Amino acid sequence: RRLACGDVEGRLEAIFGRVRAIQAKSGRFDMLLCVGNFFGSTSEAEWAEYRTGAKKAPIPTYVLGANSPDTLSYFPDVSGCELAENITYLGRRGVYSGCSGLQIAYLSGTEAQQQPAPAHCFSAKDVAELKTSLLAAPNFRGVDILLTSPWPRDVGTFANSAGEIDTKKCGSKLVSDLAASLKPRYHFAALEKAYYERLPYRNHMVLQETPQHVTRFIALADVGNTSKKKVLTPSNLSSFLKPWQGLPRELWSPHPWRCPRKGWRWHSVLWAGDKEEPACQFFFDLNKHQGKKRPSDMKERGDSQPKQAKKPPQPTGPCWFCLASPEVEKHLVVSIGTHCYLALAKGGLSPDHVLILPIGHYQSVVDLSSEVLEEVTKYKAALKEFFRSKGKRYVLFERNYRSQHLQLQVIPVPLDLCTSEDIKEAFITQAQEQQIDLLEIPEHSDIAQVAQPGTPYFYVELDTGEKLFHRIRGRFPLQFGRCVSA
């Protein structure tokens, strides 16, 4: 069991205090892996107590080297050394092998912009030598963990948004090359003062190469940030030891650094559903007239009539939730918007248990048009603000299984009763007991990225933005969400 953290920047008491708190709640971890800036400009006072042995890190801590000339003095040996009891500098580059067979590849510093490379930077030669030392091993299938301070350039390609971080401009191309070659199960990075968990990506081309494990890239924020961005994260390799094990195909994305073959024209990206086919769709124009586009709309074909907006599907029979239906319980309606409405639950778990429902007939969130989805998001934000004013937080879930009309169940929970972590843990624990794979998905992703229309699923969302997803493949307990919430 391992913890990874972002830029410590000399705040040793803060990070080790959080580690102690996590261990008190969740049990002991084996090591702490620190990426980014471990030391800062004001590190000396706190560091002196650890260097002299007056204080000790609570678990074995492994750190990367300097990312600027200011902190070079803290790292006396470029090949790695013990800096203080329980705090070890890994070195400029290399592989740490644990007694259990765990392989951690690491690369200290930032990418050099000049030659020769300064002491706090790495060069193409460093990356090449690290790759060679690993790829030369027979039957190499990838390392378990890769530690770098910079993000890999373009890591957000084909994936969920990284928020304010432009992944096309930040990070290192050399790190991208290293990650593509070493195929880590986990890749941790920092320096951008932001938390970003990318959708796991494949390390092979579907139907063209032998299936391999997926890679999870996680960037961590800086310790002490005021925005409460995630600084620490656990890594569990048990579900990544075999190809494909432990992660449903809906959560895989294409490799961010694989390029289509020369002569092919990139058209679109798709990675949801069960199809065992390449996630990237290509179209190759065999027309001898090079550079001429195929007709893509009605105008080029001589038809100038505008396209009609697609109407939502109509129910096959009486629907209790279509607002225009005589079957709807209108006395329970609280608020009506342009595309959605809010209603009290007929069998609510509490007096303020409410439902967010589309006015038109839609089966699931995946089927919603952009304007309906936008209004759903506004209702969520309004409910979060309202419940917080009453000293509550909410848990939201949807069951797209044996249901005809989308119902987003929103159940408020008193803030002093349990934390969002308690709610998440309750759902995961109950799911495990019933052999349901309820997996966490990145906060900035949406369900449409991991499920196609018509796909049965169960989905939980906390008002913190954390999300859990289960792809229903067989039977599923209809009242699972209500039972856990109750």
Side-chain angles (χ1 to χ4, degrees):
R1 303 181 69 208
R2 294 155 194 87
L3 286 169
C5 79
D7 304 273
V8 177
E9 295 185 339
R11 302 182 183 94
L12 304 181
E13 286 299 293
I15 189 60
F16 291 143
R18 293 190 65 171
V19 170
R20 291 186 186 98
I22 289 174
Q23 293 200 123
K25 181 179 179 181
S26 304
R28 182 169 177 78
F29 283 80
D30 299 310
M31 61 174 65
L32 172 65
L33 305 172
C34 299
V35 292
N37 296 313
F38 187 71
F39 294 105
S41 56
T42 58
S43 300
E44 192 53 44
E46 283 192 43
W47 176 237
E49 295 182 292
Y50 287 89
R51 189 183 67 243
T52 58
K55 290 184 177 180
K56 176 184 172 181
I59 59 175
T61 302
Y62 298 88
V63 308
L64 294 183
N67 296 299
S68 68
D70 302 337
T71 56
L72 276 172
S73 59
Y74 290 99
F75 304 97
D77 186 348
V78 294
S79 61
C81 59
E82 186 176 72
L83 302 179
E85 186 177 1
N86 255 6
I87 301 177
T88 302
Y89 164 47
L90 287 168
R92 184 183 182 92
R93 66 175 185 276
V95 180
Y96 171 89
S97 297
C99 57
S100 63
L102 176 78
Q103 268 196 331
I104 302 176
Y106 55 88
L107 182 67
S108 292
T110 56
E111 183 174 333
Q113 302 300 315
Q114 62 190 56
Q115 293 299 331
H120 64 280
C121 296
F122 57 83
S123 64
K125 182 181 178 182
D126 292 312
V127 172
E129 290 181 359
L130 179 54
K131 284 167 53 178
T132 301
S133 66
L134 284 160
L135 299 178
N139 302 319
F140 175 75
R141 292 180 176 272
V143 297
D144 296 305
I145 297 174
L146 174 61
L147 305 178
T148 63
S149 288
W151 293 25
R153 180 72 62 87
D154 292 320
V155 71
T157 305
F158 315 138
N160 49 310
S161 169
E164 297 178 357
I165 306 298
D166 185 350
T167 59
K168 294 184 181 299
K169 296 181 179 178
C170 82
S172 162
K173 292 182 180 179
L174 289 177
V175 171
S176 300
D177 177 50
L178 183 66
S181 298
L182 299 192
K183 303 174 184 177
R185 289 173 172 83
Y186 276 96
H187 180 181
F188 297 107
L191 294 186
E192 300 298 332
K193 301 187 184 299
Y195 172 73
Y196 174 51
E197 183 172 353
R198 188 200 187 280
L199 284 170
Y201 62 82
R202 303 181 181 96
N203 281 292
H204 68 278
M205 295 294 287
V206 179
L207 295 181
Q208 298 179 36
E209 297 173 330
T210 304
Q212 299 180 40
H213 58 268
V214 294
T215 294
R216 287 193 180 200
F217 171 76
I218 302 176
L220 295 156
D222 52 317
V223 175
N225 71 83
T226 56
S227 304
K228 297 184 178 179
K229 296 174 183 175
K230 199 167 184 178
V231 173
L232 270 168
T233 188
S235 63
N236 179 13
L237 291 165
S238 61
S239 63
F240 283 78
L241 296 181
K242 296 180 182 178
W244 312 114
Q245 184 180 338
L247 197 68
R249 279 171 286 190
E250 296 90 342
L251 302 184
W252 306 334
S253 89
H255 198 294
W257 303 294
R258 289 291 182 94
C259 297
R261 290 178 301 189
K262 189 175 181 181
W264 291 80
R265 182 164 52 87
W266 185 257
H267 184 72
S268 64
V269 180
L270 172 72
W271 64 85
D274 286 327
K275 297 178 182 177
E276 276 295 311
E277 62 184 21
C280 313
Q281 298 177 0
F282 303 99
F283 292 88
F284 188 74
D285 193 354
L286 297 174
N287 194 320
K288 62 182 180 180
H289 302 292
Q290 296 297 323
K292 185 178 180 181
K293 291 184 179 179
R294 292 188 306 182
S296 58
D297 59 278
M298 300 304 291
K299 280 186 180 180
E300 291 186 38
R301 298 178 184 178
D303 191 339
S304 59
Q305 291 182 357
K307 288 184 179 180
Q308 298 295 321
K310 186 178 180 181
K311 294 181 179 179
Q314 299 304 307
T316 55
C319 181
W320 293 355
F321 300 104
C322 285
L323 196 57
S325 170
E327 306 290 333
V328 73
E329 302 276 4
K330 293 186 171 63
H331 66 284
L332 296 175
V333 175
V334 177
S335 163
I336 301 177
T338 306
H339 305 285
C340 303
Y341 71 98
L342 193 71
L344 290 169
K346 191 173 182 179
L349 295 176
S350 64
D352 42 8
H353 175 176
V354 294
L355 310 178
I356 303 174
L357 307 118
I359 292 172
H361 188 75
Y362 294 90
Q363 184 175 337
S364 71
V365 167
V366 178
D367 297 303
L368 297 181
S369 61
S370 58
E371 60 268 17
V372 182
L373 191 60
E374 183 180 357
E375 193 161 288
V376 167
T377 304
K378 290 180 179 179
Y379 265 115
K380 288 181 189 177
L383 286 171
K384 178 180 178 179
E385 185 177 351
F386 168 71
F387 286 133
R388 286 299 172 109
S389 72
K390 301 296 182 182
K392 300 177 182 180
R393 59 168 49 89
Y394 75 66
V395 56
L396 176 151
F397 63 84
E398 177 199 358
R399 187 196 77 233
N400 182 31
Y401 174 71
R402 295 189 182 180
S403 57
Q404 190 180 14
H405 191 108
L406 166 63
Q407 306 159 52
L408 293 178
Q409 306 272 348
V410 186
I411 303 171
V413 182
L415 288 168
D416 57 1
L417 182 63
C418 56
T419 65
S420 59
E421 282 297 315
D422 294 329
I423 296 173
K424 184 167 71 170
E425 186 176 341
F427 270 96
I428 293 174
T429 301
Q430 292 295 322
Q432 289 173 344
E433 289 183 3
Q434 300 192 44
Q435 296 183 331
I436 295 170
D437 295 324
L438 195 59
L439 300 170
E440 189 167 0
I441 63 175
E443 294 178 22
H444 299 293
S445 62
D446 57 58
I447 298 303
Q449 289 178 299
V450 296
Q452 285 181 322
T455 299
Y457 63 82
F458 178 78
Y459 161 62
V460 182
E461 182 177 331
L462 307 181
D463 63 358
T464 57
E466 295 170 283
K467 301 170 186 175
L468 304 171
F469 177 85
H470 168 64
R471 165 68 193 277
I472 300 173
R473 299 183 183 277
R475 302 183 65 142
F476 183 80
L478 297 180
Q479 303 302 327
F480 176 74
R482 289 174 61 86
C483 290
V484 177
S485 301

